[in-house]
Amino acid sequence: MLRRRFISSAAATLAAPALARAGTAQKFTLILDWFINPDHAPLFAAKYCGAFARAGLDVKLIAPTDPDLPPRLVAAGQADACLSYQPQLYLLVDQGLPVRRTGTLINKPLNTLTALKESGVTKLADLKGRKIGYSVAGVETVLIGTMLKSAGLTLADVTLVNVNFNLVTALQSREVDAVIGTYRTYEDIQLQQAGLNPVIFAPEDYGVPMADELILLSREAGLKALAGFLAALREGVAALEAAPEKMLALFLKDNPSLNDKLDIASWHALPPYFARDPAALDTARYTKYRDFMRAAGLIKQNLPLESYAVQIAT
């Protein structure tokens, strides 16, 4: 999960032009997973290219004060949708929360297990007897265990340390020898920019099923504005691919606090990870990850796919 800095509770409005807003533009509230950052570039690009306006939508983005709240606010009908993570989806549904995946923003994993070459770790087997930092018990512990198994190791062969989201600091200070939860489009870049040599292990290369990194959760698949929102988001992804520098300039004008070397590098690293068709659902992927979560004991129920995810016609 992406929890890197102190969060702002400010809202950003990605709206249709004033004339449309005064007329028939429909309000659509999306609660983000965390503070505004380059992961959200297609949302802003959809505004900049006029896609939301053409869809007749007045889109409001809200950064949550507590990143655990968005799905619960959506379930309570206090927002139209929110951003979350595929592994989190199964936990929420298993708890009885009436939400489903209705779209995808990032359809490839970003999460990594990262060490530093300076520590002598060049392959997973080198982690035997070492310390691994994590932030979220449960899913991250299972990910570490699954990856270690591919190298003939178990969790008993390492020491797990809760570093409370201070992933980069924990590595730099040598508090731990590796961390889970770094993103290949952010913290791994940050380490490189600091002159260090990150050794990056992608979970999907070591036994963990592929998963969508950032998804859209809604309470009802039939949400009236959702088809238009997803179609506009698809236009935003295309606009971002066609004119990344133009979109970046507009994004930084709206979010000047992100005008730094790291966020700009992250912006340029992210486009290959954005879902070109945000409505498309990979049913095999969602079923396989459900089975992975069930086998690991993270969820108790083995519900049908439609309990977790649906595809909206756009």
Side-chain angles (χ1 to χ4, degrees):
M1 296 183 184
L2 183 58
R3 301 181 180 185
R4 296 188 293 249
R5 308 184 210 163
F6 179 77
I7 185 170
S8 167
S9 60
T13 299
L14 304 187
L19 289 177
R21 186 162 60 247
T24 60
Q26 182 174 351
K27 293 185 181 298
F28 188 98
T29 300
L30 174 68
I31 306 179
L32 302 176
D33 55 307
W34 195 227
F35 62 90
I36 291 171
N37 64 78
D39 287 355
H40 308 133
L43 294 164
F44 285 86
K47 168 198 173 182
Y48 302 146
C49 75
F52 286 139
R54 287 189 291 275
L57 295 176
D58 181 352
V59 178
K60 185 177 184 180
L61 304 182
I62 298 177
T65 54
D66 180 344
D68 291 326
L69 285 179
R72 304 185 187 285
L73 293 174
V74 169
Q78 296 183 37
D80 297 300
C82 71
L83 292 180
S84 189
Y85 314 88
Q86 186 178 337
Q88 186 72 8
L89 166 66
Y90 302 95
L91 299 174
L92 295 169
V93 173
D94 202 57
Q95 295 166 11
L97 214 64
V99 294
R100 285 178 286 183
R101 173 270 175 207
T102 49
T104 301
L105 188 64
I106 296 177
N107 66 354
K108 299 178 182 66
L110 298 182
N111 190 27
T112 61
L113 189 155
T114 299
L116 296 179
K117 189 175 181 180
E118 292 84 350
S119 69
V121 174
T122 60
K123 56 185 183 298
L124 278 180
D126 294 332
L127 290 172
K128 184 174 183 178
R130 305 287 193 121
K131 295 179 180 180
I132 301 178
Y134 71 96
S135 302
V136 182
V139 174
E140 288 190 337
T141 305
V142 167
L143 296 184
I144 294 169
T146 301
M147 295 177 72
L148 290 175
K149 184 178 179 180
S150 72
L153 302 177
T154 70
L155 289 174
D157 293 309
V158 301
T159 300
L160 298 182
V161 179
N162 190 330
V163 298
N164 195 29
F165 302 107
N166 296 312
L167 303 174
V168 171
T169 301
L171 272 181
Q172 289 177 316
S173 66
R174 305 300 192 269
E175 178 185 349
V176 294
D177 301 291
V179 292
I180 188 82
T182 44
Y183 272 20
R184 56 199 81 179
T185 55
Y186 198 87
E187 287 89 354
D188 292 336
I189 295 174
Q190 184 179 6
L191 290 167
Q192 292 171 340
Q193 290 182 346
L196 299 171
N197 298 291
V199 180
I200 300 166
F201 302 101
E204 66 270 21
D205 293 336
Y206 299 93
V208 177
M210 288 281 287
D212 294 341
E213 189 63 53
L214 203 53
I215 62 175
L216 196 74
L217 300 186
S218 308
R219 194 175 195 280
E220 297 180 31
L223 185 65
K224 184 176 180 181
L226 192 55
F229 178 85
L230 291 171
L233 187 55
R234 183 172 61 237
E235 288 188 49
V237 174
L240 186 62
E241 289 185 345
E245 294 300 332
K246 176 183 177 181
M247 297 299 165
L248 174 60
L250 293 169
F251 179 75
L252 294 179
K253 182 178 179 181
D254 282 348
N255 303 280
S257 65
L258 300 180
N259 191 357
D260 57 61
K261 184 179 178 181
L262 177 55
D263 282 291
I264 291 172
S266 179
W267 176 281
H268 289 302
L270 276 161
Y273 297 93
F274 292 128
R276 292 186 176 182
D277 182 1
L281 172 65
D282 187 331
T283 58
R285 175 179 293 187
Y286 274 74
T287 300
K288 187 173 183 178
Y289 211 94
R290 176 204 63 191
D291 294 344
F292 171 73
M293 296 279 284
R294 181 73 175 88
L298 292 170
I299 58 175
K300 298 177 181 179
Q301 305 177 76
N302 196 27
L303 299 174
L305 174 65
E306 57 268 24
S307 297
Y308 299 104
V310 294
Q311 181 163 329
I312 305 298
T314 59

